[in-house]
Amino acid sequence: MKLLKSLALSTAVAATLLAAPAMAQERIALVVKTLGNGFFDAAAKGAEEAAAEIGGIEVIYTGPTSATAEGQIEIVNSLIAQNVDAIAISANDPDALVPALKKAMQRGIKVLSWDSGVAAEGRQLHLNPSDTDLIGETIIKLAADYLPDGGDVAILSASSTATNQNAWIDAAKKVMPEKFPNINLVSVVYGDDDSVKSTNEAKGLIASYPDLDAIIAPTTVGVVAAAQVVTDEDLIGKINVTGLALPSEFKQFIDNGASQAVALWNPIDLGYSAVQLAHQLIEGKEAAPGATFSIGKVGEITLDDTNSAAMAAPFQFDKSNIEEFSKIY
Ligand code: RAM
């Protein structure tokens, strides 16, 4: 009997020990520009996939209700208080987050930015979705492809401090004179990745520029708002809406003709890669120029001299393939 009891006990102990590795040992916070954005929800799905694949990881998916640096600073401070193991952030501002993120790093928390970067002193590494110059060229080309004789285009961006959109817009402006000399950029406005503000900004552009041929929105929130305005104002066929769009949210505007084509990378893979990178930093891998990191099923990246790297080239979506991609993200 005694033997049986101790056998039962040791079996219970063994079971607990076996179960232990499945318990979360690493807590990785995925901090996004704003909650309620389908792009970030897709990234969070990928983050969970990576956590399940690696094992022993808890993903804390969080972000402010509007796309501001202030909201993100509050969140970062609370993550420091919770002593998470890593913070992976898509930043609303390259500089404003630096002091809070530096504090996190001083406390031993690993910090990386992804999607929208923070300045180099505020993070250990940054993961771009794609090459910045390539995205800049892509967003102009998407409009130019349907304007053989040239024309007037306007950009409806996210927030005016968003690192990623600002870098893409700069890259677009840089490539225009040489590669798209007959495309005229008349205005850049900011919808803050907020549907209502983006809708109002799109309406404002249309009212101010009656000859506008295309609206380019390099934001998944802005592009939907602009296409809805063009649809509602009966401007399909006159103004082509394009930019970076999530196929599941945007398919209806390819179907109704408000847009000819848009582009994006895989947001699920982006969130997945962010967690893969955070995990390796937690495990002690050093981020330094030239270092190669594995990003699991997505492949591998090598850090450049600013400790940044890019994931993959954007895909283009049009009538021929948006249906298929809309089922994925
Ligand atoms: C919005 C966000 C995000 C950007 C995409 C394309 O969802 O601004 O940062 O990468 O659009």
Side-chain angles (χ1 to χ4, degrees), residues 33 37 39-40 90 115-116 129 158 162 164-165 168 193 218-221 244-245 264-265 270:
K33 284 177 167 178
N37 176 339
F39 174 86
F40 291 121
S90 166
D115 180 54
S116 186
N164 52 348
Q165 274 91 9
W168 302 332
D193 273 350
T219 135
T220 58
V221 179
L244 302 174
L264 197 68
W265 40 87
L270 192 59

Side-chain angles (χ1 to χ4, degrees), residues 61-181:
Y61 175 42
T62 178
T65 47
S66 61
T68 65
E70 292 70 31
Q72 288 190 314
I73 290 168
E74 256 180 54
I75 287 171
V76 167
N77 283 329
S78 116
L79 292 168
I80 295 172
Q82 292 170 52
N83 197 23
V84 297
D85 296 292
I87 295 174
I89 186 168
S90 166
N92 284 317
D93 187 299
D95 304 312
L97 269 305
V98 168
L101 292 172
K102 267 187 168 170
K103 189 166 121 197
M105 289 190 285
Q106 279 155 9
R107 304 277 169 92
I109 298 174
K110 306 298 179 192
V111 175
L112 65 115
S113 51
W114 58 283
D115 180 54
S116 186
V118 284
E121 62 271 26
R123 47 72 177 165
Q124 290 164 271
L125 64 85
H126 171 66
L127 178 67
N128 278 309
S130 273
D131 177 76
T132 299
D133 287 340
L134 176 63
I135 302 173
E137 180 167 345
T138 300
I139 59 177
I140 292 292
K141 187 172 181 299
L142 280 165
D145 280 349
Y146 298 92
L147 292 169
D149 302 322
D152 288 352
V153 305
I155 292 181
L156 168 61
S157 188
S159 78
S160 63
T161 58
T163 322
N164 52 348
Q165 274 91 9
N166 283 346
W168 302 332
I169 294 167
D170 283 350
K173 284 179 177 165
K174 204 174 69 190
V175 76
M176 284 180 68
E178 197 202 318
K179 292 206 178 162
F180 308 99

Side-chain angles (χ1 to χ4, degrees), residues 200-212 215 229 233 235 239:
N200 290 336
E201 293 295 337
K203 286 181 180 164
L205 283 174
I206 291 167
S208 308
Y209 302 97
D211 295 331
L212 200 60
I215 297 177
V229 170
E233 297 196 6
L235 293 168
I239 298 180

